[in-house]
Amino acid sequence: MSSLFDLLRELFSYGFVIRAMIVGLLVSLCAALLGVTLVLKRYSMIGDGLSHVGFGTLAVALSLNLAPLQLSIPVVLVAAFLLLRLSENSRIKGDAAIALISSSALAIGVVVISLTTGMNADVCNYMFGAILALSVSDVYLSVGVALVVLIMYVLSYNRIFAVTFDENFARATGMEASSYNMLIAALTAMVIVVGMRMMGAMLISSLIIFPALTSMRVFSSFKRVVICSGVLSVFCFFIGMVVSFGFSTPAGASVVLINLAAFCVFSAAGRAGLKV
Amino acid sequence: MVSCRNVSVSYEGFSAVEDVTFDVLAGDYLCVVGENGSGKSSLMKSILGLIKPTSGRVTFDGLGPAEIGYLPQRTNVQQDFPASVHEVVISGRAGRHGPFAFYSRSDRARVDENLERLGIADLRRKSYRDLSGGQRQRALLARALCAAERLVMLDEPVAGLDPMMASEMYDILEGLNRDGMTIVMISHDMKGALRYGNRILHMRKKVLFFGASDEYVGTDAYRLLNAEGGE
Ligand SMILES: Nc1ncnc2c1ncn2[C@@H]1O[C@H](COP(=O)(O)OP(=O)(O)O)[C@@H](O)[C@H]1O
Ligand SMILES: [Mg+2]
């Protein structure tokens, strides 16, 4: 027990670990809340698509020596609206179109990189995450984004439920359902851009999908699923970081694996008849 | 209360509803009948503002969009949705508030009242995904009643229910109508439509018949639908 304690003490003596913890916990929380709606509306592909678009933009920014976040936030926001339109429109195969965009963005990123900087450590960090990459200004940005997401989410909670549960009914009773979809997509875009550098473009979407899917195995009201997703996501991130530090494994991948473990535990509990 | 004038709906060139004109009067129990694909749901959606009619006009007489209750045609989308009955029903009130509002005490009172009225007060804490088909329809009707002041639009509320549950649903609707609620109901159940509705709108893209239900039985339109396998 004391060795775990020592590990934690050592962990928190590093500035970069504290920065990563702050950014990661906030991103995990926000991603989990948004994830409940995205998963239930079958929009979870959007998260995946956005992270790939984010990677493409980062790669371009890197090779052109542009500021990565300043470029990727607007580009990913635009992509969010585009992907949302594609998902809403079921007539053209929305999911196929998203897969197309996301792999194209990835391909653009990879080609641009190989033509310019080459596959160096920076690039690898963008794909699979690096906690060392976070600066103090990243911390401020993530706190800002998290505040916006949390405030908008809490204030719009009732309508987000209504639109998630039944969009047609929501519209018939006077709600602007499409603006709530846009709100969710925009918030997701911001969370992905902020979280991508730490978790990695390939892994960030799991922060959106896992907690919601896991909570739904056991919890059966919307509010409980939302709360459990938030708590679980934060918990898994923390454990993942500790594990990553203790075993010297990559942070992003460790967090994903802890999420996977939680999913298995909840699935087993749900199978065994635990429903709350 | 609602008047439709020459309403047409088409989906990318495919016309689903053509030139439909009729009125809903306060206190009506209007049943919309017709074969599958005859444009009933499309017409209802255009009245609710969910799709834009390609031509024609729908006007409401002293009725805002937030005062209409809607029971959508059953889909499989929400089969597995984690939500309590209470959460589902109170979401009928969400459209009445500003964008950032929370539910008030009167919203909760309204939910209680409608749960009682539909006999599902004991289910309020249960999960929507654990309900039977009939219980789900009641929960969705309760939600519609939370949204509606004077008019509810129901898209096949008894489809998929066993005869017992269907007749309970009819009793509930009859009671509501007696208490002054105007009802527009799409139905495949001709017997129910004739027995409970005071008016019939028979559609096949266009209006084949619109009028009092006791006049309907003698018409060609009635024979057409019944000969083609309607009940
Ligand atoms: N979203 C849609 N896109 C394209 N065609 C549609 C859509 N919804 C309905 N239709 C078509 O419009 C016609 C009328 O459908 P609908 O209004 O659902 O009929 P009903 O409710 O009477 O069964 C059908 O032929 C259906 O295939
Ligand atoms: Mg229909």
Side-chain angles (χ1 to χ4, degrees):
Chain A
M1 206 59 215
S2 76
S3 70
L4 180 64
F5 217 75
D6 290 339
L7 179 69
L8 289 179
R9 177 136 20 116
E10 193 194 343
L11 194 58
F12 281 101
S13 66
Y14 296 110
F16 75 87
V17 174
I18 295 179
R19 286 200 293 277
M21 280 286 184
I22 296 172
V23 174
L25 292 175
L26 292 173
V27 166
S28 306
L29 178 62
C30 295
L33 298 184
L34 296 169
V36 175
T37 291
L38 291 173
V39 167
L40 283 170
K41 287 187 81 81
R42 284 146 225 263
Y43 284 173
S44 36
M45 276 300 287
I46 289 183
D48 210 44
L50 289 182
S51 57
H52 290 169
V53 171
F55 172 76
T57 337
L58 278 181
V60 171
L62 207 62
S63 53
L64 297 180
N65 265 328
L66 297 173
L69 286 181
Q70 277 81 329
L71 183 68
S72 46
I73 287 182
V75 171
V76 176
L77 273 175
V78 170
F81 294 131
L82 187 67
L83 295 184
L84 184 66
R85 287 292 297 274
L86 288 173
S87 320
E88 279 176 340
N89 196 340
S90 53
R91 299 228 72 191
I92 47 174
K93 297 260 164 274
D95 50 346
I98 290 177
L100 217 89
I101 290 181
S102 92
S103 50
S104 305
L106 194 59
I108 291 174
V110 171
V111 166
V112 165
I113 284 166
S114 68
L115 289 179
T116 53
T117 58
M119 278 288 182
N120 58 16
D122 268 356
V123 178
C124 202
N125 285 348
Y126 282 141
M127 292 191 95
F128 300 109
I131 52 172
L132 287 167
L134 297 171
S135 66
V136 175
S137 68
D138 287 335
V139 176
Y140 288 135
L141 181 71
S142 66
V143 170
V145 166
L147 278 179
V148 171
V149 171
L150 292 177
I151 291 172
M152 291 307 283
Y153 194 88
V154 170
L155 287 179
S156 315
Y157 173 81
N158 289 328
R159 289 185 163 215
I160 287 176
F161 172 82
V163 171
T164 308
F165 182 71
D166 188 346
E167 192 167 321
N168 272 337
F169 180 86
R171 280 167 60 206
T173 53
M175 277 172 259
E176 290 292 332
S178 55
S179 52
Y180 286 90
N181 287 339
M182 257 164 6
L183 176 69
I184 294 285
L187 297 178
T188 306
M190 294 200 292
V191 168
I192 281 181
V193 171
V194 172
M196 189 167 59
R197 301 216 288 154
M198 185 183 57
M199 286 295 294
M202 302 298 110
L203 299 173
I204 179 76
S205 60
S206 64
L207 283 192
I208 292 177
I209 298 167
F210 259 126
L213 281 183
T214 304
S215 312
M216 278 174 225
R217 300 286 126 187
V218 169
F219 292 94
S220 53
S221 89
F222 189 76
K223 195 192 249 163
R224 285 181 199 152
V225 167
V226 166
I227 292 174
C228 172
S229 298
V231 171
L232 192 71
S233 183
V234 163
F235 177 77
C236 287
F237 179 82
F238 184 80
I239 301 295
M241 283 293 279
V242 173
V243 166
S244 127
F245 200 72
F247 295 92
S248 304
T249 48
S254 311
V255 172
V256 174
L257 288 183
I258 298 294
N259 269 295
L260 175 62
F263 178 79
C264 295
V265 170
F266 274 61
S267 291
R271 280 266 167 83
L274 180 65
K275 291 270 191 265
V276 199
Chain B
M1 190 168 236
V2 182
S3 89
C4 284
R5 290 284 165 272
N6 311 100
V7 170
S8 300
V9 174
S10 59
Y11 297 102
E12 284 152 38
F14 171 81
S15 126
V17 176
E18 284 171 10
D19 199 27
V20 169
T21 295
F22 71 100
D23 291 298
V24 183
L25 306 178
D28 266 355
Y29 190 147
L30 170 68
C31 291
V32 182
V33 298
E35 301 150 49
N36 269 329
S38 56
K40 307 181 295 295
S41 298
S42 303
L43 176 66
M44 185 170 275
K45 285 182 184 160
S46 70
I47 294 173
L48 289 162
L50 297 178
I51 47 183
K52 240 177 114 73
T54 27
S55 63
R57 212 153 38 93
V58 181
T59 49
F60 298 96
D61 187 8
L63 197 69
E67 289 173 307
I68 305 174
Y70 175 41
L71 180 68
Q73 186 164 9
R74 198 194 281 235
T75 54
N76 295 330
V77 180
Q78 306 137 341
Q79 287 294 333
D80 214 22
F81 197 102
S84 69
V85 170
H86 187 265
E87 285 177 319
V88 170
V89 174
I90 205 167
S91 73
R93 306 294 292 174
R96 332 193 112 246
H97 299 293
F100 299 129
F102 298 102
Y103 295 124
S104 65
R105 187 168 306 168
S106 74
D107 292 327
R108 288 171 208 289
R110 193 63 191 272
V111 170
D112 292 340
E113 186 189 307
N114 284 316
L115 289 175
E116 287 294 341
R117 175 144 63 173
L118 299 192
I120 50 173
D122 52 325
L123 297 179
R124 75 168 55 228
R125 301 265 158 250
K126 276 201 109 179
S127 183
Y128 181 78
R129 59 185 175 189
D130 299 333
L131 301 185
S132 71
Q135 292 171 328
R136 269 187 200 175
Q137 287 298 77
R138 286 190 197 202
L140 294 182
L141 181 59
R143 176 183 68 162
L145 294 178
C146 280
E149 293 297 341
R150 292 183 289 146
L151 171 65
V152 283
M153 301 221 162
L154 316 171
D155 197 341
E156 307 206 6
V158 298
L161 301 188
D162 65 41
M164 257 271 281
M165 288 193 291
S167 92
E168 283 174 6
M169 195 66 161
Y170 279 126
D171 288 344
I172 290 168
L173 293 176
E174 195 181 17
L176 285 171
N177 187 239
R178 216 180 303 117
D179 294 344
M181 183 71 78
T182 307
I183 296 177
V184 177
M185 174 174 90
I186 294 175
S187 178
H188 265 120
D189 172 20
M190 184 60 78
K191 279 200 217 89
L194 288 173
R195 176 152 166 220
Y196 296 100
N198 71 329
R199 282 163 195 279
I200 299 283
L201 173 65
H202 182 166
M203 290 197 49
R204 185 193 244 177
K205 283 194 187 180
K206 303 182 181 175
V207 176
L208 289 190
F209 174 88
F210 174 61
S213 43
D214 32 7
E215 289 166 19
Y216 176 58
V217 182
T219 62
D220 290 343
Y222 173 74
R223 262 172 250 125
L224 192 69
L225 191 59
N226 283 274
E228 282 169 6
E231 278 189 66

